[in-house]
Amino acid sequence: MPRIRICGFTLLELLIALLIFSLGLIGMAGLMMLSVKTSHSAYLRTQASFIAQAMVERMRANINGVWGGSYNGSYSDTPGTAIPACNSGGGCDPAAVAERDQSAFTAALAQFLPDSSATINCKTTTTPTSTDLLSQRPYDGICLMSITWSESPLTRGSEVVPYTLNWAFQP
């Protein structure tokens, strides 16, 4: 009687194929985790950039507040009271506008960046005259803004580390 040759896979071949496939899936899961962490890191850096840009634009809109040093100081991610309103009939003076801007800046830090803080320090060698302030003369000094937040690094088991965005600008 002739032997009939049976073609197909043995159980051992199937188990080896399943093992190789499983290792590939585990590698893909690791890449997905790295992708999510990288994406979140990019998100936080983008938020820090947006928050900084918004504050710079506020400062440019209130150049007299910058001349007066109203924006200099440290900011934390602890939201204070509600953003103050200017209820007087004459509108806000530059210091009141700066206070509103600082409240909005602090609220953005608290909302978008974990464990964040910021500092703004504007320095100039010129003292503006009253005519300069009335004409809203451009600020001739340099402002330094630093925003720091906490973020998990890409390596496993590492503790949260601080990241900082430093920006020197002229409002």
Side-chain angles (χ1 to χ4, degrees):
M1 220 191 256
R3 289 189 160 203
I4 301 174
R5 187 169 175 153
I6 300 175
C7 295
F9 294 105
T10 65
L11 184 59
L12 183 59
E13 289 171 335
L14 285 175
L15 288 175
I16 291 172
L18 185 61
L19 175 68
I20 292 170
F21 183 70
S22 298
L23 290 175
L25 285 179
I26 289 172
M28 290 291 287
L31 285 175
M32 284 296 286
M33 290 292 291
L34 183 64
S35 172
V36 167
K37 284 183 177 182
T38 304
S39 226
H40 186 67
S41 176
Y43 167 79
L44 290 176
R45 291 170 193 218
T46 301
Q47 292 303 319
S49 178
F50 285 155
I51 292 168
Q53 183 65 38
M55 188 59 163
V56 169
E57 294 302 324
R58 287 185 183 104
M59 292 171 72
R60 284 185 178 142
N62 184 16
I63 203 68
N64 288 345
V66 176
W67 275 111
S70 299
Y71 290 94
N72 293 345
S74 297
Y75 305 89
S76 69
D77 64 352
T78 307
T81 59
I83 296 175
C86 294
N87 293 328
S88 63
C92 291
D93 65 341
V97 172
E99 184 181 349
R100 290 177 52 81
D101 293 344
Q102 291 166 349
S103 294
F105 183 62
T106 301
L109 287 175
Q111 183 176 359
F112 296 111
L113 294 174
D115 193 27
S116 58
S117 63
T119 59
I120 297 175
N121 189 11
C122 296
K123 292 185 178 180
T124 184
T125 58
T126 307
T127 303
T129 64
S130 58
T131 306
D132 291 336
L133 293 177
L134 286 175
S135 66
Q136 294 195 346
R137 175 180 155 208
Y139 189 74
D140 64 358
I142 296 292
C143 295
L144 303 174
M145 180 185 298
S146 178
I147 299 177
T148 303
W149 69 94
S150 295
E151 179 177 321
S152 296
L154 298 178
T155 56
R156 288 185 186 183
S158 298
E159 293 188 19
V160 175
V161 294
Y163 283 84
T164 303
L165 168 76
N166 291 315
W167 192 1
F169 61 96
Q170 185 174 11

